[in-house]
Amino acid sequence: MQAYRKDGFPVTIVRPSHTYDGTKPPVALHGRGSNWQILKRILDDKPVIIPGDGSSLWTLTHSTDFAKGYVGLMGNPHAIGNAYHITSDESMTWNQIYEIIADTLGKPLKALHVASDFLARHGESYDFRGQLLGDKAVSVVFDNSKIKAAVPDFVCTVSMAEGLRNSVNYMLEHKELQVEDPEFDQWCDAIVERMKRAEE
């Protein structure tokens, strides 16, 4: 923005949040591979780790909806020198997100709630400190009034529930996306075991 204010350099800042393309359902934690291992744990009736108590709010925006706002800013002279959020107005808790994933799979969710700072400390080779403590462990709700004023046609039409269900079904229908991550699965099992011992 300094270059815009000082030299008139034309710049528009766009701030998306968790934008997804519908090929895999967004989750709070995953390994180095795809999100398939979370779905597989649900299908295998294994506990699934949800950070904190699962009540923090999260916003998911489908890429087709994000594109509407983004394209509306392109070439828009009124957008120059401004910054815009482009997200859905809808928010859900992580508990709700995982429940929809499990329900779409036709399985009960065996949620294991684990404190985010514990997961960050015991993430070993995973960067859960940045993913959780700096991001997904806190509620996120956005004000999209500015993008709506600049792009009056901007409306998100893919609900979070619909997008999640479609993403789960897409993974189920595309075997090439069902890449297992045994290292992450073993890490999840180890966390489950540590929590059991702590309770005992």
Side-chain angles (χ1 to χ4, degrees):
M1 282 301 174
Q2 184 176 357
Y4 167 72
R5 294 189 181 102
K6 183 179 177 183
D7 303 319
F9 183 79
V11 62
T12 300
I13 295 175
V14 174
R15 298 190 186 111
S17 182
H18 196 150
T19 304
Y20 67 107
D21 65 1
T23 60
K24 59 183 180 180
V27 294
L29 290 177
H30 59 81
R32 292 184 187 83
S34 73
N35 295 357
W36 173 249
Q37 200 62 46
I38 298 296
L39 276 66
K40 189 172 188 307
R41 287 184 71 84
I42 295 172
L43 290 168
D44 292 343
D45 295 312
K46 297 179 77 172
V48 175
I49 297 168
I50 299 178
D53 64 1
S55 65
S56 60
L57 293 169
W58 197 246
T59 299
L60 301 172
T61 308
H62 197 279
S63 58
T64 57
D65 285 330
F66 170 82
K68 298 172 191 173
Y70 186 79
V71 170
L73 293 176
M74 294 172 61
N76 185 338
H78 302 294
I80 296 173
N82 285 286
Y84 298 89
H85 296 305
I86 303 181
T87 74
S88 169
D89 289 323
E90 188 180 10
S91 297
M92 283 186 178
T93 67
W94 281 111
N95 286 332
Q96 291 172 315
I97 290 170
Y98 279 83
E99 284 286 358
I100 290 171
I101 292 171
D103 184 64
T104 306
L105 292 170
K107 301 289 285 187
L109 176 65
K110 295 185 176 179
L112 176 65
H113 294 99
V114 181
S116 297
D117 54 357
F118 180 89
L119 293 171
R121 284 197 309 273
H122 297 275
E124 281 109 22
S125 57
Y126 301 109
D127 179 25
F128 291 150
R129 183 169 299 280
Q131 286 185 42
L132 292 178
L133 303 186
D135 200 8
K136 296 175 181 172
V138 295
S139 289
V140 180
V141 179
F142 296 92
D143 178 358
N144 290 298
S145 56
K146 191 171 181 179
I147 182 66
K148 290 178 180 178
V151 186
D153 294 337
F154 173 68
V155 177
C156 290
T157 56
V158 181
S159 71
M160 285 179 62
E162 177 189 3
L164 286 164
R165 286 192 293 266
N166 290 344
S167 297
V168 170
N169 287 325
Y170 190 93
M171 286 199 93
L172 292 175
E173 293 163 4
H174 291 79
K175 299 292 185 185
E176 70 276 11
L177 297 178
Q178 299 175 18
V179 180
E180 295 192 24
D181 188 344
E183 180 185 0
F184 179 70
D185 197 49
Q186 290 168 13
W187 178 83
C188 290
D189 289 340
I191 294 295
V192 171
E193 186 58 34
R194 289 176 193 179
M195 297 303 293
K196 282 183 180 177
R197 289 203 304 267
E199 286 189 7
E200 291 171 357

